[in-house]
Amino acid sequence: MKQILAVDDSMSMRMLLRASLTAAGFKVEEAEDGRAALEWLDNNSPTLVITDINMPRLDGFGLIAELRARDRFRDIPVLVLTTESSPEKKARAREAGATGWIVKPFDPEKLAAAVRRVTH
């Protein structure tokens, strides 16, 4: 079963992600910010990371940069899930190494399709 790490400082958003992705057949782990995600990733290797951008301690851009700096996570797909939709933010996420971008609120079917697309 494909394991996904959902990183968002909003507990309700993490719960929505868990409900949507579990229903689509994925196993979902959660972290409340980039720091917590990196701590979890020290001992785990998910198939995909979904991250918010605006979070305390370590934001999504910082998390993506940290993942890309580590050999074992250099090629892991990272989807950005955020309320932000500016071209500048999208470009910055791409430059950091994001695989794709999904705007909140998300459609569960489209999210599951995007996850399947990047994790084949």
Side-chain angles (χ1 to χ4, degrees):
M1 181 181 286
K2 291 179 179 166
Q3 186 176 49
I4 297 168
L5 176 60
V7 188
D8 199 304
D9 58 329
S10 161
M11 183 184 282
S12 57
M13 184 52 63
R14 292 195 311 269
M15 288 170 65
L16 272 173
L17 281 167
R18 176 183 289 276
S20 299
L21 293 168
T22 302
F26 299 100
K27 183 175 190 309
V28 180
E29 298 296 333
E30 301 173 25
E32 71 270 9
D33 61 32
R35 279 274 155 256
L38 290 172
E39 287 165 16
W40 184 85
L41 288 163
D42 282 341
N43 301 307
N44 298 278
S45 293
T47 312
L48 165 76
V49 173
I50 297 176
T51 184
D52 187 17
I53 289 293
N54 301 311
M55 299 180 288
R57 297 201 307 159
L58 181 65
D59 69 8
F61 296 125
L63 174 59
I64 296 166
E66 281 282 334
L67 289 173
R68 295 307 182 222
R70 298 177 183 197
D71 284 342
R72 72 186 183 109
F73 296 121
R74 190 158 288 139
D75 299 321
I76 190 172
V78 179
L79 291 178
V80 174
L81 178 67
T82 181
T83 55
E84 303 278 351
S85 59
S86 72
E88 299 80 27
K89 293 266 169 107
K90 286 183 182 177
R92 189 172 163 204
R94 261 195 307 276
E95 285 159 19
T99 312
W101 188 278
I102 299 164
V103 176
K104 295 176 190 173
F106 64 89
D107 173 280
E109 291 296 315
K110 287 183 180 154
L111 177 65
V115 167
R116 285 191 195 94
R117 203 167 35 250
V118 298
T119 58
H120 17 268

